């Protein structure tokens, strides 16, 4: 077990030290665990390794990324944002509405893709009003991170949670007779509106109507809607194959890609396929294997007992530790490997306490997803937002980011922390 713990610790340290090489680090670590399994050090056969990979998660992510790429190319997100903004009284409300709009998009689209979609509109607003775009783009980024936990397809962490707990699309809206995570997240979003209005209280400039972005291709919009509606419909099918959701996402993507190539030529396929984040897919595939390796070595059970001991066997204290520790850790560590590692640990904690894992798993997601908003390096969407601003000639300091990120995060996490406990703590095993 000590050898497995050392390999796991080295893997995590290397992922922190070499963020651009994380997929290779995870895959190499997975190869080491598989090699040790073949040598008989652990019970980790090749068949067990292949079974550790959640192919449904990987297919869902691949298909969703492809559809989102087509959606961005259609310019529909910019058109929708512009139609919303012309209806608000001033810049203060425009920024808030734009951030909330980014959140709505992010509930169904990857957070980084959402920032790439909506940021150009925020930059245009800042130019018209002659104000700094820094707080505007930061508000878009933190709002997109918040809503990533709202639906099954909103973020990689949500997809991981769905795979771990066997959740379907509709479980995020209604779960075992109680409000789902979607409503917890929306409550957090509503609570952040006064925070944003206060932060942008000085921005009273007027916005005037301008020509709307033209949209001539509506197929990607229908593809995105069709994917969501199909996932909803599939959630009502009993005993369906575990890979169903992944096949739905991939089918819509491939059908849409074929139709778009027929219209615009095969060169489009090359651009769209490039937009898929293969590094994240490789990272997840490697992490699935690494986590199964440390599970077979008994490390997951040991971590579960450590956390259980810290909570003194008290569910509320354990829940509190998981939520707020996740907030702090995710402020500095990417939440994808963190959540992937912690989900089986939290499941073990629930087993040790003899309780249902729902409240602990949902608390983990809330803390880890929103905790990334504390710092500019806590989430991929934040890094993307800072990159956009850098290309515009604005360097974002940690202080500038945290001026918006900290109050936004604390408000949203506190709301989610309270509601998750109220909704799910009473669920039976």
């Amino acid at each position: 077990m000590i050898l497995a713990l050392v390999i796991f610790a080295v893997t995590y340290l290397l992922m922190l030290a070499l963020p651009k090489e994380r997929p290779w680090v995870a895959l190499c670590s997975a190869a080491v665990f598989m090699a040790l399994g073949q040598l008989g050090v652990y019970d980790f056969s090749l068949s067990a390794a292949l079974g550790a990979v959640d192919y449904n998660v990987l297919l869902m992510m691949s298909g969703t990324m492809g559809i989102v790429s087509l959606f961005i190319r259609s310019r529909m997100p910019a058109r929708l944002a512009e139609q919303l903004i012309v209806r608000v009284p001033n810049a203060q409300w425009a920024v808030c509405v734009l951030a909330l709009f980014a959140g709505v998009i992010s509930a169904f689209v990857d957070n980084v893709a959402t920032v790439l979609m909506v940021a150009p509109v925020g930059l245009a607003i800042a130019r018209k009003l002659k104000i700094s775009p820094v707080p505007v783009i930061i508000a878009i980024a933190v709002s997109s991170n918040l809503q990533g936990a709202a639906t099954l397809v909103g973020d990689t962490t949500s997809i991981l949670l769905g795979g771990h707990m066997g959740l379907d699309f509709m479980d995020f809206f209604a779960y075992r007779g109680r409000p789902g995570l979607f409503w917890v997240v929306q409550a957090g979003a509503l609570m952040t509106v006064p925070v944003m209005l206060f932060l942008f209280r000085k921005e009273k400039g007027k916005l005037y109507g301008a020509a709307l972005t033209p949209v001539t291709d509506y197929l990607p919009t229908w593809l995105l809607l069709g994917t969501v509606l199909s996932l909803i419909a599939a959630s009502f099918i009993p005993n369906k194959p575990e890979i169903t959701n992944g096949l739905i996402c991939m089918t819509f993507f491939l059908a849409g890609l074929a139709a778009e190539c027929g219209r615009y030529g095969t060169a489009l396929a090359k651009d769209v396929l490039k937009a898929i984040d293969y590094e994240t897919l490789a990272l997840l595939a490697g992490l699935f294997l690494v986590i199964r390796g440390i599970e077979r070595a008994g490390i997951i059970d040991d971590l579960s007992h450590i956390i259980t001991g810290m909570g003194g066997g008290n569910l509320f204290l354990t829940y509190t530790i998981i939520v707020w520790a996740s907030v702090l850790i995710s402020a500095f560590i990417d939440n994808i490997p963190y959540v992937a590692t912690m989900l089986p640990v939290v499941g073990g904690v629930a087993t040790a306490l003899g309780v249902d894992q729902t409240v602990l798993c949902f608390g983990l997601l809330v803390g880890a997803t929103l905790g990334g908003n504390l710092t500019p390096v806590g989430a991929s969407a934040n890094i993307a937002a800072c990159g956009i601003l850098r290309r515009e000639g604005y360097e974002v300091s940690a202080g500038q980011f945290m001026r918006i990120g900290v109050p936004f995060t604390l408000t949203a996490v506190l709301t989610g922390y309270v509601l998750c406990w109220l909704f799910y703590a009473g669920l039976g095993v």
Side-chain angles (χ1 to χ4, degrees), residues 67 70-72 74 217-225 260:
I67 294 169
L70 293 172
F71 188 57
I72 292 173
S74 75
D217 185 3
Y218 290 89
L219 177 60
T221 302
W222 290 113
L223 286 173
L224 187 60
L225 290 174
E260 293 290 85

Side-chain angles (χ1 to χ4, degrees), residues 162-224:
H164 173 75
M165 294 182 62
L167 302 180
D168 247 314
F169 192 87
M170 290 304 295
D171 287 328
F172 278 73
F173 293 85
Y175 184 68
R176 293 167 65 177
R178 304 181 185 213
L181 266 178
F182 177 84
W183 305 109
V184 172
V185 172
Q186 301 320 306
L190 288 176
M191 293 299 291
T192 62
V193 171
V195 174
M196 286 193 290
L197 288 175
F198 176 77
L199 291 171
F200 293 97
R201 63 192 181 278
K202 296 180 181 178
E203 308 300 342
K204 298 296 186 180
K206 299 291 184 181
L207 289 172
Y208 300 98
L212 295 176
T213 299
V215 177
T216 57
D217 185 3
Y218 290 89
L219 177 60
T221 302
W222 290 113
L223 286 173
L224 187 60

Side-chain angles (χ1 to χ4, degrees), residues 2 17 22 81 97 103 135-136 157 161 206 217 219 221 229 244 264 272 299 306 319 366 381 388 403 423:
I2 294 177
R22 287 187 307 155
V97 167
V136 178
T157 53
L161 176 72
K206 299 291 184 181
D217 185 3
L219 177 60
T221 302
L229 292 174
T244 299
Y264 298 106
V272 172
I299 294 174
I306 290 171
Y319 167 73
V366 168
I388 291 170
R403 177 176 171 268
F423 290 160

Side-chain angles (χ1 to χ4, degrees), residues 41 49 132-133 145 199 212 217 241 248 251 278 336 350 392 397 406 422:
V41 178
S132 170
N145 284 328
L199 291 171
L212 295 176
D217 185 3
I248 288 173
T251 299
Y278 298 102
I336 294 173
E392 294 292 321
S397 68
V406 170
L422 293 176

